[in-house]
Amino acid sequence: MKIVLAYSGGLDTSIILRWLKKNYQSEVIAFCADIGQEEELEGLEEKAQQTGAMKCIIEDLREEFARDFVFPMFQAGAIYEGQYFLGTSIARPLIAKRMIEIGRAEGADTIAHGATGKGNDQVRFELTAAALAPELRIIAPWREERFRKQFPGRAEMIAFAEANNIPVAASAAKPYSMDRNLLHISFESGMLEDPWFDASGPDARAMYKLSVSPEEAPDVPEYVDLTFENGNCVNVAQVSNLRTKMSPLRVMQTLNKLGGKHGIGRVDIVENRFVGMKGRGVYETPGGAILHFAHRQMETLTMDREFMHLRDSLVPKYSELVYNGFWFSPEREALQALVTETQRNVSGVVRLKLYKGNIIVAGRKSPKSLYDPKIATMEGDESAYDQGDATGFIRLNALRLKVRAALKHARK
């Protein structure tokens, strides 16, 4: 038996690697997708092999992640329950897709993951496998009773790691879990399971990795121009005349640095998980917050009203599909085709002011702008809009309201 394990080197997957090898008498290939974990990848291959992996495969998927997953999602304006930028959700389909490809190349018949039986990631991994490789077997240790009996909580896992010389970052002093990629860092469990705990306070200050607190951000605002082509950001510049195209990866790296510097993108939410419970999560999404805001500003200038409203009506559905793990579903692909069509004219420049956790629009322009000053102006005869035309427009729209009011009056 040969298993490909989604491996991060964190507490859960380190314990699971050793457990799989012992309990399934199998060879385990540890796979880690480099999607922006930065220093977390240092020494990972050696750690995996010391923990029992027959092989550790680390692949740089950052550009693919930004180009084929993050950018299409941001074109759609996706944000789950009005707050969550879907940083973990959008990473899982890519990781699972590559696990499947590696499994086939290595002759493995099984894939495994460390997602808990209470979270969303188990669904995301396994729905991707169902869509792309339904023949593969899936092992989810957290859903096995024998695993849960041995490890009823994180304290037992930490103790096991210490007793078996498995190096992990988690400790009794830092019991929360962390998931990092190019789009965000998420924090959950531990002291964060108490929704009254103040994650912005001094007790949690050491937790954050990507951003300073708004209180510690610079006292002077910083201006930045984002250039868009067909709904995708292609340049981030502090100098207006600098218009060299950037790759999606470079855009995200630049925005993360800027947003983190100014305390932008911290989100603390209680969200509705797909499995039916509520969960509390704290997120750092500095670059994503800026990109989402700027993209919307560009759309306000360039998108037709009904086109925008149609797309906006589908944002909750699109976001749910990503959050719930249906990236490779026909309905998400159909929605993406519509989104692509809506973005054809979303091109131009948005100027933002970044200041102490705030993103403030400071200007927008586009060669495809639908804003016409000659129509919008309030300067009397200069306007190409005849206010008198509104009389009939209002009268027609008021007709059904008048009929209803007359009927209500007649019934009294």
Side-chain angles (χ1 to χ4, degrees), residues 35-275:
I35 49 177
Q37 299 93 314
E38 301 293 341
E39 68 274 3
E40 293 178 21
L41 299 176
E42 294 176 4
L44 196 64
E45 184 174 359
E46 182 181 357
K47 180 195 292 188
Q49 291 176 341
Q50 287 178 352
T51 308
M54 67 165 287
K55 182 189 293 188
C56 180
I57 299 173
I58 303 172
E59 290 190 354
D60 186 350
L61 303 181
R62 293 176 300 167
E63 195 67 71
E64 182 181 357
F65 180 47
R67 181 189 65 237
D68 297 339
F69 291 81
V70 174
F71 270 37
M73 183 179 72
F74 273 78
Q75 278 188 321
I79 183 167
Y80 183 67
E81 296 187 339
Q83 297 183 84
Y84 174 39
F85 292 107
L86 297 161
T88 295
S89 311
I90 193 60
R92 298 316 187 221
L94 172 58
I95 296 170
K97 177 179 80 76
R98 190 62 190 128
M99 282 177 68
I100 290 165
E101 293 168 350
I102 289 172
R104 286 171 170 162
E106 296 285 341
D109 59 355
T110 305
I111 61 174
H113 60 77
T116 72
K118 291 185 175 181
N120 302 301
D121 279 344
Q122 58 180 336
V123 184
R124 296 163 184 155
F125 278 118
E126 296 181 37
L127 289 182
T128 298
L132 303 182
E135 75 281 2
L136 287 180
R137 178 183 179 184
I138 300 171
I139 296 176
W142 274 107
R143 297 207 301 265
E144 295 192 24
E145 187 176 357
R146 56 179 173 165
F147 182 85
R148 295 196 304 273
K149 281 186 175 180
Q150 185 176 356
F151 304 109
R154 294 179 65 80
E156 290 79 9
M157 299 181 80
I158 292 170
F160 181 88
E162 292 174 349
N164 289 273
N165 297 315
I166 300 174
V168 292
S171 66
K174 294 182 179 180
Y176 52 82
S177 65
M178 182 177 72
D179 179 73
R180 179 175 183 175
N181 61 46
L182 185 66
L183 181 54
H184 86 163
I185 294 183
S186 68
F187 306 95
E188 62 180 11
S189 78
M191 74 281 195
L192 300 176
E193 291 180 353
D194 176 8
W196 189 252
F197 176 80
D198 181 7
S200 70
D203 291 344
R205 182 167 294 178
M207 181 177 71
Y208 296 96
K209 303 291 183 182
L210 296 181
S211 62
V212 301
S213 67
E215 296 93 333
E216 297 171 318
D219 294 328
V220 178
E222 184 168 3
Y223 289 84
V224 59
D225 291 353
L226 279 72
T227 302
F228 286 86
E229 290 182 3
N230 306 121
N232 287 322
C233 182
V234 297
N235 181 264
V236 180
Q238 282 96 342
V239 182
S240 291
N241 61 3
L242 181 60
R243 289 288 177 263
T244 304
K245 271 196 176 183
M246 292 179 172
S247 70
L249 171 59
R250 183 60 180 153
V251 166
M252 292 307 303
Q253 289 173 328
T254 304
L255 290 178
N256 277 333
K257 185 175 180 181
L258 280 168
K261 174 183 175 182
H262 291 280
I264 289 166
R266 291 189 177 185
V267 179
D268 181 344
I269 61 175
V270 175
E271 66 202 55
N272 289 297
R273 292 179 178 173
F274 190 26
V275 295

Side-chain angles (χ1 to χ4, degrees), residues 350-362:
V350 176
R351 176 165 292 172
L352 301 176
K353 179 166 64 174
L354 310 179
Y355 182 65
K356 289 191 175 296
N358 295 291
I359 311 169
I360 304 162
V361 64

Side-chain angles (χ1 to χ4, degrees), residues 306-345:
E306 296 305 316
F307 221 179
M308 176 184 285
H309 291 179
L310 175 62
R311 194 285 312 276
D312 286 353
S313 72
L314 298 170
V315 167
K317 180 62 177 177
Y318 186 105
S319 303
E320 284 182 5
L321 290 173
V322 176
Y323 187 84
N324 294 343
F326 289 96
W327 181 260
F328 290 106
S329 67
E331 59 269 34
R332 199 283 307 175
E333 292 170 357
L335 287 179
Q336 198 71 57
L338 174 70
V339 167
T340 299
E341 184 64 29
T342 69
Q343 300 296 297
R344 292 191 184 279
N345 291 325

